[in-house]
Amino acid sequence: TISGHADLRIALTAKHAQTLQFEAHSSDFSLTNQPGTVVAQQVTASLSGNLVRQRGTLTIAAHVQTSRGQALAGPALLDFAVNPLNLDVALERVGDGPVVVSRLDLEQRNLLQAHVTGVARLGSHPVIVSAHVSVSKLQFPAAYQSYLQLALATTELGSLQSSGEATASIDIANDTVTRLDCSLHDINFTATDARVLVQ
């Protein structure tokens, strides 16, 4: 279910290649899926980019920016007013072949900086053929509040105070993590009643 309002501009040209340029803005975008596991509420967002088809090759470049509202995706709860999001992505697909992600840069202020490249095969059962994920910054307490607190809400770890940063590098092949490197920098977790202390 999708609701809200949007301003949309589309320009289509077909001189040497079919090119679709698009730009959209919304200040009250909301959506939810039937089980309620993916939800967005009153999100202020903008989307711009282009789609080019030439000689059987489709390329897409897009930029997404959010500055207000909240989104829930599984256990992750994102507050875009506190941690605005910027996403840049470039994709290419030749014919019915796999989708090549040449660039996916994700940044959320005071939370996350990540870069992804990879290859995905579409179909009834999509598969990540290969991917490399580089997380140059995962900053606490925003990371705990965004990715962990909701999942831990019913446990003794549901109201921790946290600080510090983490970095990570992840390699994936055929939907399987083949390598994971993670570094922690001045990580601290404490509970207000002193039952949990990690320094």
Side-chain angles (χ1 to χ4, degrees), residues 67-101:
S67 59
R68 190 173 66 87
Q70 292 185 324
L72 171 72
L77 178 61
L78 304 177
D79 188 337
F80 298 127
V82 177
N83 309 114
L85 177 146
N86 281 282
L87 172 67
D88 282 294
V89 61
L91 313 173
E92 181 178 280
R93 188 183 191 191
V94 179
D96 295 327
V99 175
V100 178
V101 181

PDB file of all heavy atoms in Angstrom, residues 67-101:
ATOM      1  N   SER A  67      15.335  13.044   3.941  1.00  0.00           N
ATOM      2  CA  SER A  67      15.677  14.004   4.980  1.00  0.00           C
ATOM      3  C   SER A  67      14.681  14.031   6.134  1.00  0.00           C
ATOM      4  O   SER A  67      14.902  14.736   7.117  1.00  0.00           O
ATOM      5  CB  SER A  67      15.787  15.414   4.384  1.00  0.00           C
ATOM      6  OG  SER A  67      14.572  15.795   3.769  1.00  0.00           O
ATOM      7  N   ARG A  68      13.593  13.264   6.023  1.00  0.00           N
ATOM      8  CA  ARG A  68      12.597  13.265   7.089  1.00  0.00           C
ATOM      9  C   ARG A  68      11.785  11.984   7.010  1.00  0.00           C
ATOM     10  O   ARG A  68      11.697  11.362   5.961  1.00  0.00           O
ATOM     11  CB  ARG A  68      11.676  14.490   6.957  1.00  0.00           C
ATOM     12  CG  ARG A  68      10.755  14.720   8.153  1.00  0.00           C
ATOM     13  CD  ARG A  68      10.008  16.038   8.012  1.00  0.00           C
ATOM     14  NE  ARG A  68       9.085  16.018   6.883  1.00  0.00           N
ATOM     15  CZ  ARG A  68       7.815  15.563   6.933  1.00  0.00           C
ATOM     16  NH1 ARG A  68       7.330  15.092   8.070  1.00  0.00           N
ATOM     17  NH2 ARG A  68       7.053  15.587   5.864  1.00  0.00           N
ATOM     18  N   GLY A  69      11.169  11.590   8.120  1.00  0.00           N
ATOM     19  CA  GLY A  69      10.345  10.393   8.149  1.00  0.00           C
ATOM     20  C   GLY A  69      11.097   9.199   8.694  1.00  0.00           C
ATOM     21  O   GLY A  69      12.284   9.285   9.036  1.00  0.00           O
ATOM     22  N   GLN A  70      10.411   8.070   8.765  1.00  0.00           N
ATOM     23  CA  GLN A  70      10.989   6.843   9.291  1.00  0.00           C
ATOM     24  C   GLN A  70      10.684   5.678   8.365  1.00  0.00           C
ATOM     25  O   GLN A  70       9.699   5.698   7.619  1.00  0.00           O
ATOM     26  CB  GLN A  70      10.450   6.532  10.686  1.00  0.00           C
ATOM     27  CG  GLN A  70      10.893   7.503  11.761  1.00  0.00           C
ATOM     28  CD  GLN A  70      10.431   7.084  13.146  1.00  0.00           C
ATOM     29  OE1 GLN A  70       9.336   6.539  13.308  1.00  0.00           O
ATOM     30  NE2 GLN A  70      11.260   7.321  14.145  1.00  0.00           N
ATOM     31  N   ALA A  71      11.532   4.657   8.413  1.00  0.00           N
ATOM     32  CA  ALA A  71      11.322   3.451   7.620  1.00  0.00           C
ATOM     33  C   ALA A  71      11.689   2.234   8.453  1.00  0.00           C
ATOM     34  O   ALA A  71      12.660   2.251   9.220  1.00  0.00           O
ATOM     35  CB  ALA A  71      12.148   3.483   6.338  1.00  0.00           C
ATOM     36  N   LEU A  72      10.895   1.181   8.305  1.00  0.00           N
ATOM     37  CA  LEU A  72      11.135  -0.091   8.972  1.00  0.00           C
ATOM     38  C   LEU A  72      11.334  -1.150   7.908  1.00  0.00           C
ATOM     39  O   LEU A  72      10.522  -1.288   6.991  1.00  0.00           O
ATOM     40  CB  LEU A  72       9.936  -0.460   9.855  1.00  0.00           C
ATOM     41  CG  LEU A  72       9.940  -1.870  10.466  1.00  0.00           C
ATOM     42  CD1 LEU A  72      10.991  -1.954  11.575  1.00  0.00           C
ATOM     43  CD2 LEU A  72       8.564  -2.227  11.011  1.00  0.00           C
ATOM     44  N   ALA A  73      12.441  -1.902   8.004  1.00  0.00           N
ATOM     45  CA  ALA A  73      12.701  -3.022   7.099  1.00  0.00           C
ATOM     46  C   ALA A  73      13.189  -4.192   7.945  1.00  0.00           C
ATOM     47  O   ALA A  73      14.358  -4.238   8.341  1.00  0.00           O
ATOM     48  CB  ALA A  73      13.727  -2.646   6.041  1.00  0.00           C
ATOM     49  N   GLY A  74      12.288  -5.107   8.253  1.00  0.00           N
ATOM     50  CA  GLY A  74      12.642  -6.193   9.165  1.00  0.00           C
ATOM     51  C   GLY A  74      12.970  -5.636  10.538  1.00  0.00           C
ATOM     52  O   GLY A  74      12.194  -4.863  11.111  1.00  0.00           O
ATOM     53  N   PRO A  75      14.148  -5.960  11.081  1.00  0.00           N
ATOM     54  CA  PRO A  75      14.513  -5.441  12.406  1.00  0.00           C
ATOM     55  C   PRO A  75      15.157  -4.060  12.374  1.00  0.00           C
ATOM     56  O   PRO A  75      15.466  -3.497  13.419  1.00  0.00           O
ATOM     57  CB  PRO A  75      15.517  -6.481  12.909  1.00  0.00           C
ATOM     58  CG  PRO A  75      16.186  -6.971  11.665  1.00  0.00           C
ATOM     59  CD  PRO A  75      15.105  -6.968  10.599  1.00  0.00           C
ATOM     60  N   ALA A  76      15.362  -3.495  11.190  1.00  0.00           N
ATOM     61  CA  ALA A  76      16.047  -2.203  11.077  1.00  0.00           C
ATOM     62  C   ALA A  76      15.018  -1.073  11.089  1.00  0.00           C
ATOM     63  O   ALA A  76      14.046  -1.090  10.325  1.00  0.00           O
ATOM     64  CB  ALA A  76      16.868  -2.148   9.797  1.00  0.00           C
ATOM     65  N   LEU A  77      15.245  -0.094  11.951  1.00  0.00           N
ATOM     66  CA  LEU A  77      14.376   1.072  12.042  1.00  0.00           C
ATOM     67  C   LEU A  77      15.220   2.311  11.771  1.00  0.00           C
ATOM     68  O   LEU A  77      16.146   2.618  12.523  1.00  0.00           O
ATOM     69  CB  LEU A  77      13.739   1.166  13.430  1.00  0.00           C
ATOM     70  CG  LEU A  77      12.825   2.376  13.683  1.00  0.00           C
ATOM     71  CD1 LEU A  77      11.645   2.360  12.720  1.00  0.00           C
ATOM     72  CD2 LEU A  77      12.342   2.392  15.120  1.00  0.00           C
ATOM     73  N   LEU A  78      14.915   3.016  10.678  1.00  0.00           N
ATOM     74  CA  LEU A  78      15.714   4.148  10.243  1.00  0.00           C
ATOM     75  C   LEU A  78      14.947   5.450  10.453  1.00  0.00           C
ATOM     76  O   LEU A  78      13.788   5.566  10.031  1.00  0.00           O
ATOM     77  CB  LEU A  78      16.086   4.002   8.765  1.00  0.00           C
ATOM     78  CG  LEU A  78      16.807   2.710   8.379  1.00  0.00           C
ATOM     79  CD1 LEU A  78      17.053   2.673   6.882  1.00  0.00           C
ATOM     80  CD2 LEU A  78      18.106   2.549   9.151  1.00  0.00           C
ATOM     81  N   ASP A  79      15.590   6.423  11.102  1.00  0.00           N
ATOM     82  CA  ASP A  79      15.021   7.745  11.322  1.00  0.00           C
ATOM     83  C   ASP A  79      15.772   8.715  10.420  1.00  0.00           C
ATOM     84  O   ASP A  79      16.910   9.093  10.705  1.00  0.00           O
ATOM     85  CB  ASP A  79      15.159   8.142  12.792  1.00  0.00           C
ATOM     86  CG  ASP A  79      14.418   9.437  13.122  1.00  0.00           C
ATOM     87  OD1 ASP A  79      14.181  10.226  12.191  1.00  0.00           O
ATOM     88  OD2 ASP A  79      14.107   9.653  14.301  1.00  0.00           O
ATOM     89  N   PHE A  80      15.139   9.128   9.316  1.00  0.00           N
ATOM     90  CA  PHE A  80      15.827   9.949   8.326  1.00  0.00           C
ATOM     91  C   PHE A  80      16.008  11.390   8.773  1.00  0.00           C
ATOM     92  O   PHE A  80      16.834  12.108   8.213  1.00  0.00           O
ATOM     93  CB  PHE A  80      15.078   9.902   6.998  1.00  0.00           C
ATOM     94  CG  PHE A  80      15.010   8.532   6.396  1.00  0.00           C
ATOM     95  CD1 PHE A  80      13.797   7.981   6.008  1.00  0.00           C
ATOM     96  CD2 PHE A  80      16.162   7.784   6.224  1.00  0.00           C
ATOM     97  CE1 PHE A  80      13.735   6.710   5.450  1.00  0.00           C
ATOM     98  CE2 PHE A  80      16.111   6.504   5.673  1.00  0.00           C
ATOM     99  CZ  PHE A  80      14.890   5.972   5.285  1.00  0.00           C
ATOM    100  N   ALA A  81      15.244  11.842   9.773  1.00  0.00           N
ATOM    101  CA  ALA A  81      15.466  13.181  10.296  1.00  0.00           C
ATOM    102  C   ALA A  81      16.773  13.237  11.085  1.00  0.00           C
ATOM    103  O   ALA A  81      17.494  14.230  11.064  1.00  0.00           O
ATOM    104  CB  ALA A  81      14.299  13.606  11.188  1.00  0.00           C
ATOM    105  N   VAL A  82      17.093  12.152  11.787  1.00  0.00           N
ATOM    106  CA  VAL A  82      18.325  12.077  12.572  1.00  0.00           C
ATOM    107  C   VAL A  82      19.500  11.640  11.710  1.00  0.00           C
ATOM    108  O   VAL A  82      20.616  12.163  11.834  1.00  0.00           O
ATOM    109  CB  VAL A  82      18.145  11.101  13.756  1.00  0.00           C
ATOM    110  CG1 VAL A  82      19.442  10.964  14.548  1.00  0.00           C
ATOM    111  CG2 VAL A  82      17.013  11.583  14.671  1.00  0.00           C
ATOM    112  N   ASN A  83      19.257  10.687  10.816  1.00  0.00           N
ATOM    113  CA  ASN A  83      20.307  10.134   9.960  1.00  0.00           C
ATOM    114  C   ASN A  83      19.860  10.195   8.500  1.00  0.00           C
ATOM    115  O   ASN A  83      19.417   9.191   7.939  1.00  0.00           O
ATOM    116  CB  ASN A  83      20.619   8.681  10.349  1.00  0.00           C
ATOM    117  CG  ASN A  83      20.887   8.486  11.818  1.00  0.00           C
ATOM    118  OD1 ASN A  83      20.118   7.830  12.516  1.00  0.00           O
ATOM    119  ND2 ASN A  83      21.972   9.066  12.295  1.00  0.00           N
ATOM    120  N   PRO A  84      19.954  11.381   7.867  1.00  0.00           N
ATOM    121  CA  PRO A  84      19.553  11.506   6.456  1.00  0.00           C
ATOM    122  C   PRO A  84      20.335  10.531   5.576  1.00  0.00           C
ATOM    123  O   PRO A  84      21.509  10.234   5.834  1.00  0.00           O
ATOM    124  CB  PRO A  84      19.888  12.958   6.115  1.00  0.00           C
ATOM    125  CG  PRO A  84      19.938  13.663   7.428  1.00  0.00           C
ATOM    126  CD  PRO A  84      20.441  12.664   8.417  1.00  0.00           C
ATOM    127  N   LEU A  85      19.672  10.054   4.535  1.00  0.00           N
ATOM    128  CA  LEU A  85      20.251   9.035   3.661  1.00  0.00           C
ATOM    129  C   LEU A  85      20.583   9.610   2.300  1.00  0.00           C
ATOM    130  O   LEU A  85      19.812  10.389   1.736  1.00  0.00           O
ATOM    131  CB  LEU A  85      19.276   7.866   3.518  1.00  0.00           C
ATOM    132  CG  LEU A  85      19.661   6.716   2.588  1.00  0.00           C
ATOM    133  CD1 LEU A  85      19.135   5.398   3.152  1.00  0.00           C
ATOM    134  CD2 LEU A  85      19.111   6.923   1.176  1.00  0.00           C
ATOM    135  N   ASN A  86      21.744   9.215   1.770  1.00  0.00           N
ATOM    136  CA  ASN A  86      22.138   9.497   0.390  1.00  0.00           C
ATOM    137  C   ASN A  86      22.573   8.184  -0.258  1.00  0.00           C
ATOM    138  O   ASN A  86      23.426   7.475   0.289  1.00  0.00           O
ATOM    139  CB  ASN A  86      23.289  10.497   0.326  1.00  0.00           C
ATOM    140  CG  ASN A  86      22.832  11.924   0.524  1.00  0.00           C
ATOM    141  OD1 ASN A  86      22.293  12.545  -0.378  1.00  0.00           O
ATOM    142  ND2 ASN A  86      23.025  12.446   1.739  1.00  0.00           N
ATOM    143  N   LEU A  87      21.974   7.872  -1.396  1.00  0.00           N
ATOM    144  CA  LEU A  87      22.280   6.631  -2.100  1.00  0.00           C
ATOM    145  C   LEU A  87      22.557   6.937  -3.560  1.00  0.00           C
ATOM    146  O   LEU A  87      21.744   7.582  -4.234  1.00  0.00           O
ATOM    147  CB  LEU A  87      21.106   5.660  -1.977  1.00  0.00           C
ATOM    148  CG  LEU A  87      21.179   4.381  -2.822  1.00  0.00           C
ATOM    149  CD1 LEU A  87      22.311   3.482  -2.324  1.00  0.00           C
ATOM    150  CD2 LEU A  87      19.850   3.630  -2.785  1.00  0.00           C
ATOM    151  N   ASP A  88      23.708   6.475  -4.065  1.00  0.00           N
ATOM    152  CA  ASP A  88      24.050   6.571  -5.480  1.00  0.00           C
ATOM    153  C   ASP A  88      24.256   5.162  -6.009  1.00  0.00           C
ATOM    154  O   ASP A  88      25.018   4.371  -5.412  1.00  0.00           O
ATOM    155  CB  ASP A  88      25.334   7.385  -5.685  1.00  0.00           C
ATOM    156  CG  ASP A  88      25.088   8.873  -5.574  1.00  0.00           C
ATOM    157  OD1 ASP A  88      24.377   9.413  -6.433  1.00  0.00           O
ATOM    158  OD2 ASP A  88      25.597   9.484  -4.615  1.00  0.00           O
ATOM    159  N   VAL A  89      23.611   4.837  -7.128  1.00  0.00           N
ATOM    160  CA  VAL A  89      23.718   3.489  -7.667  1.00  0.00           C
ATOM    161  C   VAL A  89      23.834   3.540  -9.183  1.00  0.00           C
ATOM    162  O   VAL A  89      23.234   4.390  -9.843  1.00  0.00           O
ATOM    163  CB  VAL A  89      22.495   2.634  -7.235  1.00  0.00           C
ATOM    164  CG1 VAL A  89      21.197   3.244  -7.761  1.00  0.00           C
ATOM    165  CG2 VAL A  89      22.636   1.194  -7.693  1.00  0.00           C
ATOM    166  N   ALA A  90      24.645   2.635  -9.730  1.00  0.00           N
ATOM    167  CA  ALA A  90      24.796   2.484 -11.181  1.00  0.00           C
ATOM    168  C   ALA A  90      24.718   0.996 -11.513  1.00  0.00           C
ATOM    169  O   ALA A  90      25.473   0.190 -10.954  1.00  0.00           O
ATOM    170  CB  ALA A  90      26.124   3.066 -11.655  1.00  0.00           C
ATOM    171  N   LEU A  91      23.796   0.640 -12.427  1.00  0.00           N
ATOM    172  CA  LEU A  91      23.552  -0.754 -12.787  1.00  0.00           C
ATOM    173  C   LEU A  91      23.653  -0.920 -14.294  1.00  0.00           C
ATOM    174  O   LEU A  91      23.407   0.020 -15.053  1.00  0.00           O
ATOM    175  CB  LEU A  91      22.148  -1.207 -12.349  1.00  0.00           C
ATOM    176  CG  LEU A  91      21.677  -0.879 -10.936  1.00  0.00           C
ATOM    177  CD1 LEU A  91      20.212  -1.275 -10.781  1.00  0.00           C
ATOM    178  CD2 LEU A  91      22.528  -1.604  -9.911  1.00  0.00           C
ATOM    179  N   GLU A  92      23.972  -2.143 -14.724  1.00  0.00           N
ATOM    180  CA  GLU A  92      23.983  -2.451 -16.156  1.00  0.00           C
ATOM    181  C   GLU A  92      23.539  -3.890 -16.364  1.00  0.00           C
ATOM    182  O   GLU A  92      23.887  -4.789 -15.595  1.00  0.00           O
ATOM    183  CB  GLU A  92      25.384  -2.263 -16.738  1.00  0.00           C
ATOM    184  CG  GLU A  92      25.455  -2.545 -18.244  1.00  0.00           C
ATOM    185  CD  GLU A  92      26.839  -2.294 -18.808  1.00  0.00           C
ATOM    186  OE1 GLU A  92      27.168  -1.119 -19.055  1.00  0.00           O
ATOM    187  OE2 GLU A  92      27.580  -3.275 -18.988  1.00  0.00           O
ATOM    188  N   ARG A  93      22.743  -4.083 -17.424  1.00  0.00           N
ATOM    189  CA  ARG A  93      22.309  -5.440 -17.782  1.00  0.00           C
ATOM    190  C   ARG A  93      22.329  -5.575 -19.295  1.00  0.00           C
ATOM    191  O   ARG A  93      21.743  -4.751 -20.006  1.00  0.00           O
ATOM    192  CB  ARG A  93      20.905  -5.722 -17.248  1.00  0.00           C
ATOM    193  CG  ARG A  93      20.491  -7.180 -17.413  1.00  0.00           C
ATOM    194  CD  ARG A  93      19.073  -7.424 -16.936  1.00  0.00           C
ATOM    195  NE  ARG A  93      18.786  -8.845 -16.864  1.00  0.00           N
ATOM    196  CZ  ARG A  93      17.571  -9.353 -16.684  1.00  0.00           C
ATOM    197  NH1 ARG A  93      16.530  -8.537 -16.552  1.00  0.00           N
ATOM    198  NH2 ARG A  93      17.394 -10.663 -16.625  1.00  0.00           N
ATOM    199  N   VAL A  94      22.972  -6.616 -19.779  1.00  0.00           N
ATOM    200  CA  VAL A  94      23.039  -6.900 -21.210  1.00  0.00           C
ATOM    201  C   VAL A  94      22.045  -8.007 -21.516  1.00  0.00           C
ATOM    202  O   VAL A  94      22.173  -9.138 -21.019  1.00  0.00           O
ATOM    203  CB  VAL A  94      24.461  -7.324 -21.639  1.00  0.00           C
ATOM    204  CG1 VAL A  94      24.483  -7.642 -23.129  1.00  0.00           C
ATOM    205  CG2 VAL A  94      25.468  -6.240 -21.303  1.00  0.00           C
ATOM    206  N   GLY A  95      21.032  -7.692 -22.339  1.00  0.00           N
ATOM    207  CA  GLY A  95      20.011  -8.676 -22.679  1.00  0.00           C
ATOM    208  C   GLY A  95      19.317  -9.218 -21.443  1.00  0.00           C
ATOM    209  O   GLY A  95      18.884  -8.475 -20.573  1.00  0.00           O
ATOM    210  N   ASP A  96      19.232 -10.548 -21.372  1.00  0.00           N
ATOM    211  CA  ASP A  96      18.631 -11.212 -20.213  1.00  0.00           C
ATOM    212  C   ASP A  96      19.692 -11.699 -19.232  1.00  0.00           C
ATOM    213  O   ASP A  96      19.424 -12.573 -18.401  1.00  0.00           O
ATOM    214  CB  ASP A  96      17.780 -12.401 -20.672  1.00  0.00           C
ATOM    215  CG  ASP A  96      16.581 -11.962 -21.514  1.00  0.00           C
ATOM    216  OD1 ASP A  96      16.060 -10.866 -21.244  1.00  0.00           O
ATOM    217  OD2 ASP A  96      16.198 -12.713 -22.435  1.00  0.00           O
ATOM    218  N   GLY A  97      20.881 -11.145 -19.342  1.00  0.00           N
ATOM    219  CA  GLY A  97      21.979 -11.578 -18.486  1.00  0.00           C
ATOM    220  C   GLY A  97      21.856 -11.043 -17.068  1.00  0.00           C
ATOM    221  O   GLY A  97      20.853 -10.431 -16.681  1.00  0.00           O
ATOM    222  N   PRO A  98      22.886 -11.256 -16.276  1.00  0.00           N
ATOM    223  CA  PRO A  98      22.865 -10.794 -14.884  1.00  0.00           C
ATOM    224  C   PRO A  98      22.949  -9.274 -14.796  1.00  0.00           C
ATOM    225  O   PRO A  98      23.365  -8.598 -15.731  1.00  0.00           O
ATOM    226  CB  PRO A  98      24.109 -11.453 -14.276  1.00  0.00           C
ATOM    227  CG  PRO A  98      25.025 -11.662 -15.435  1.00  0.00           C
ATOM    228  CD  PRO A  98      24.144 -11.961 -16.613  1.00  0.00           C
ATOM    229  N   VAL A  99      22.547  -8.749 -13.655  1.00  0.00           N
ATOM    230  CA  VAL A  99      22.643  -7.319 -13.369  1.00  0.00           C
ATOM    231  C   VAL A  99      24.000  -7.052 -12.726  1.00  0.00           C
ATOM    232  O   VAL A  99      24.351  -7.686 -11.720  1.00  0.00           O
ATOM    233  CB  VAL A  99      21.512  -6.858 -12.431  1.00  0.00           C
ATOM    234  CG1 VAL A  99      21.698  -5.400 -12.042  1.00  0.00           C
ATOM    235  CG2 VAL A  99      20.158  -7.077 -13.087  1.00  0.00           C
ATOM    236  N   VAL A 100      24.759  -6.149 -13.305  1.00  0.00           N
ATOM    237  CA  VAL A 100      26.074  -5.789 -12.783  1.00  0.00           C
ATOM    238  C   VAL A 100      25.936  -4.469 -12.026  1.00  0.00           C
ATOM    239  O   VAL A 100      25.548  -3.450 -12.609  1.00  0.00           O
ATOM    240  CB  VAL A 100      27.109  -5.646 -13.915  1.00  0.00           C
ATOM    241  CG1 VAL A 100      28.463  -5.220 -13.339  1.00  0.00           C
ATOM    242  CG2 VAL A 100      27.239  -6.958 -14.684  1.00  0.00           C
ATOM    243  N   VAL A 101      26.232  -4.510 -10.751  1.00  0.00           N
ATOM    244  CA  VAL A 101      26.212  -3.304  -9.920  1.00  0.00           C
ATOM    245  C   VAL A 101      27.633  -2.753  -9.906  1.00  0.00           C
ATOM    246  O   VAL A 101      28.507  -3.267  -9.198  1.00  0.00           O
ATOM    247  CB  VAL A 101      25.735  -3.609  -8.489  1.00  0.00           C
ATOM    248  CG1 VAL A 101      25.690  -2.333  -7.649  1.00  0.00           C
ATOM    249  CG2 VAL A 101      24.369  -4.277  -8.512  1.00  0.00           C
TER     250      VAL A 101
END
